[in-house]
């Protein structure tokens, strides 16, 4: 290193400095012994400087090696987690220096971290939708759905595709359930219109989301809701049959209630006119039927009495004894 130029000293070199030092010692009259001590001290100080520089260089190399050592498994782990080796160029070691290897790995690591963040978001989105759809099918409220945590051990496109397939299956099931619910709600509504009773009260008892202008996709599609709707339809159909049965009266008694009796020959599903089976209408019809029954009964008794008188006259002319009082009592006995 002696004789090399130092940028800080300009043209001054170690040789010229030593020469200058010799001139000063000559002028001062420094002894050879003192001069030797000074040279040894200078050499020791220079050696100490070299040692410090070597130590610092070794420490810097160790830090670079550690950084490289940490980067390699991170790179491998990311590649394994994402499962897409072809998507990122993995640098080859070859005979590159430590810094060259780090410079080569850095872009790949950065790209893989970015891909991981994007993939995590995709997994989080699809898993959130799966959890939400499962909750809707199970009938759980939003408050009952726990926050999910993405498993970062496998973020491959293959795994993501599996989740997406599962989500599509759940969405189809949700769509099928929603169609069933809407069809059943429509059937319940039609039955309530025919029966002339309040639709709102019962349908909200099944589930509050089934009534009104609530967003279609917010309506309950759980097994419990479907079961209650099916049961409600069954009960209403039975009520409808019973009310139709109450209207089953003889032809001569239907004349005044043709607007009611026109439903008798219709099947359960054909009766759709509003209030056609309202309780008030049926009760009115029952009162009229009861009145007609009394009139019919009275007329039947009149006819029977006339026939009894005619028979008594016949028996009298034939000199046959009968119990007139007992026979007439039977005519007037009511059911």
């Amino acid at each position: 290193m002696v004789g090399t130029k130092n940028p800080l000293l300009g043209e001054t070199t170690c040789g010229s400095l030593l020469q200058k030092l010799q001139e000063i010692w000559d002028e001062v009259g420094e002894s050879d012994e003192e001069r030797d001590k000074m040279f040894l001290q200078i050499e020791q100080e220079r050696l100490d400087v070299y040692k410090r520089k070597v130590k610092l260089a070794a420490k810097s190399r160790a830090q670079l090696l550690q950084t490289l050592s940490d980067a390699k498994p991170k790179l491998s782990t990311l590649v394994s987690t994402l499962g897409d080796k072809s998507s990122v160029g993995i640098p080859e070691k070859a005979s590159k220096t430590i810094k060259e290897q780090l410079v080569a790995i850095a872009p790949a690591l950065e790209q893989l971290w970015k891909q991981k963040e994007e993939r995590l978001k995709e997994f989080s989105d699809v898993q959130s939708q799966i959890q939400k759809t499962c909750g809707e099918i199970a009938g759980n409220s939003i408050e009952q759905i726990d926050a999910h945590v993405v498993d970062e051990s496998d973020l491959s496109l293959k795994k993501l595709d599996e989740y997406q397939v599962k989500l599509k299956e759940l969405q189809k099931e949700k769509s099928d359930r929603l169609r069933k619910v809407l069809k059943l709600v429509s059937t319940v509504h039609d039955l309530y219109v025919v029966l002339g009773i309040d639709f709102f009260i019962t349908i909200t008892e099944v589930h509050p989301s089934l009534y009104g202008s609530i967003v279609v996709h917010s309506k309950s599609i759980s097994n419990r809701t479907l079961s209650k709707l099916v049961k409600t339809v069954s009960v209403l159909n039975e009520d409808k049959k019973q009310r139709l049965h109450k209207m089953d009266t003889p032809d001569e008694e239907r004349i005044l209630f043709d607007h009611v009796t026109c439903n008798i020959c219709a099947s359960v599903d054909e009766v759709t006119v509003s209030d056609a089976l309202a309780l008030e209408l049926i009760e009115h019809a029952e009162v009229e039927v009861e009145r007609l029954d009394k009139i019919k009964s009275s007329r039947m008794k009149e006819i029977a009495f006339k026939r009894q008188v005619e028979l008594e006259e016949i028996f009298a002319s034939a000199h046959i004894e009968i119990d007139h009082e007992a026979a007439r009592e039977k005519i007037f006995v009511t059911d």
Side-chain angles (χ1 to χ4, degrees):
M1 299 293 293
V2 176
T4 59
K5 296 180 180 179
N6 190 314
L8 298 177
L9 300 178
E11 296 298 321
T12 304
T13 64
C14 289
S16 63
L17 288 172
L18 286 175
Q19 184 178 355
K20 183 67 176 178
L21 184 60
Q22 288 279 10
E23 291 174 357
I24 293 172
W25 282 344
D26 289 341
E27 186 179 346
V28 171
E30 199 71 66
S31 65
D32 291 339
E33 184 179 353
E34 287 297 324
R35 293 183 184 194
D36 290 340
K37 287 181 181 180
M38 285 287 188
F39 278 125
L40 287 174
Q41 185 179 354
I42 291 172
E43 287 295 326
Q44 186 62 47
E45 288 177 354
R46 186 169 64 176
L47 183 61
D48 290 341
V49 170
Y50 285 150
K51 284 181 179 179
R52 287 198 301 273
K53 292 297 182 182
V54 170
K55 186 176 180 180
L56 287 173
K59 183 178 180 180
S60 176
R61 181 187 62 181
Q63 289 174 340
L64 290 172
L65 283 172
Q66 186 62 48
T67 302
L68 181 62
S69 178
D70 292 340
K72 287 180 178 178
K74 287 179 181 178
L75 188 69
S76 298
T77 300
L78 284 169
V79 170
S80 176
T81 298
L82 295 171
D84 309 316
K85 292 184 179 180
S86 60
S87 64
V88 177
I90 306 302
E92 297 179 2
K93 181 178 179 180
S95 59
K96 295 179 180 179
T97 65
I98 299 172
K99 286 187 175 181
E100 287 173 340
Q101 291 181 56
L102 282 173
V103 168
I105 286 178
L109 268 177
E110 183 179 357
Q111 186 177 351
L112 286 170
W113 277 118
K114 184 178 179 181
Q115 283 187 9
K116 182 180 179 181
E117 289 176 2
E118 293 172 350
R119 197 71 58 79
L120 274 171
K121 186 178 183 305
E122 290 179 299
F123 270 80
S124 180
D125 290 344
V126 71
Q127 288 180 5
S128 293
Q129 292 182 63
I130 288 173
Q131 190 173 25
K132 181 183 177 183
T133 307
C134 286
E136 291 172 338
I137 292 173
N140 296 332
S141 62
I142 296 177
E143 293 75 13
Q144 292 175 301
I145 300 176
D146 298 326
H148 74 283
V149 178
V150 177
D151 180 7
E152 298 186 22
S153 63
D154 186 355
L155 298 176
S156 64
L157 289 174
K158 180 181 177 182
K159 192 68 176 179
L160 180 62
D161 184 60
E162 290 176 5
Y163 279 118
Q164 289 172 337
V165 169
K166 183 178 179 180
L167 177 59
K168 287 181 180 179
E169 292 173 350
L170 288 169
Q171 287 175 333
K172 183 180 183 303
E173 182 180 353
K174 177 183 175 180
S175 179
D176 292 342
R177 284 171 172 264
L178 184 58
R179 280 195 295 271
K180 289 179 182 178
V181 166
L182 293 176
K183 184 177 180 180
L184 286 167
V185 169
S186 177
T187 301
V188 171
H189 179 269
D190 292 345
L191 285 167
Y192 270 80
V193 169
V194 171
L195 296 172
I197 52 182
D198 190 356
F199 169 72
F200 171 78
I201 295 175
T202 299
I203 205 65
T204 50
E205 285 179 352
V206 173
H207 198 278
S209 68
L210 301 180
Y211 183 81
S213 58
I214 297 176
V215 179
V216 171
H217 293 288
S218 297
K219 294 188 182 296
S220 174
I221 58 172
S222 67
N223 287 337
R224 185 169 181 269
T225 296
L226 282 167
S227 177
K228 291 178 74 174
L229 281 171
V230 170
K231 184 178 179 180
T232 300
V233 169
S234 177
V235 169
L236 291 174
N237 271 323
E238 184 60 32
D239 191 12
K240 187 176 179 181
K241 290 178 183 178
Q242 290 177 0
R243 294 189 187 190
L244 283 169
H245 180 69
K246 288 180 180 181
M247 297 170 64
D248 190 12
T249 58
D251 292 340
E252 63 270 16
E253 297 174 359
R254 299 177 187 173
I255 297 173
L256 299 176
F257 289 85
D258 282 342
H259 62 296
V260 177
T261 58
C262 64
N263 292 321
I264 293 173
C265 296
S267 67
V268 172
D269 293 331
E270 290 173 339
V271 181
T272 58
V273 178
S274 180
D275 293 335
L277 297 178
L279 283 176
E280 182 180 355
L281 179 62
I282 293 176
E283 288 170 357
H284 182 49
E286 287 177 333
V287 170
E288 183 61 17
V289 169
E290 186 178 352
R291 187 185 69 80
L292 292 172
D293 277 337
K294 288 179 180 179
I295 294 174
K296 182 175 73 172
S297 178
S298 177
R299 290 179 179 176
M300 294 278 294
K301 289 176 181 179
E302 289 178 6
I303 294 170
F305 183 75
K306 288 179 181 180
R307 294 291 181 271
Q308 179 61 30
V309 172
E310 292 174 359
L311 285 172
E312 288 175 1
E313 291 177 352
I314 293 171
F315 287 147
S317 63
H319 303 287
I320 299 174
E321 294 290 333
I322 62 171
D323 189 346
H324 301 290
E325 294 298 324
R328 293 187 181 189
E329 257 180 59
K330 289 181 180 179
I331 294 174
F332 293 100
V333 171
T334 57
D335 295 333

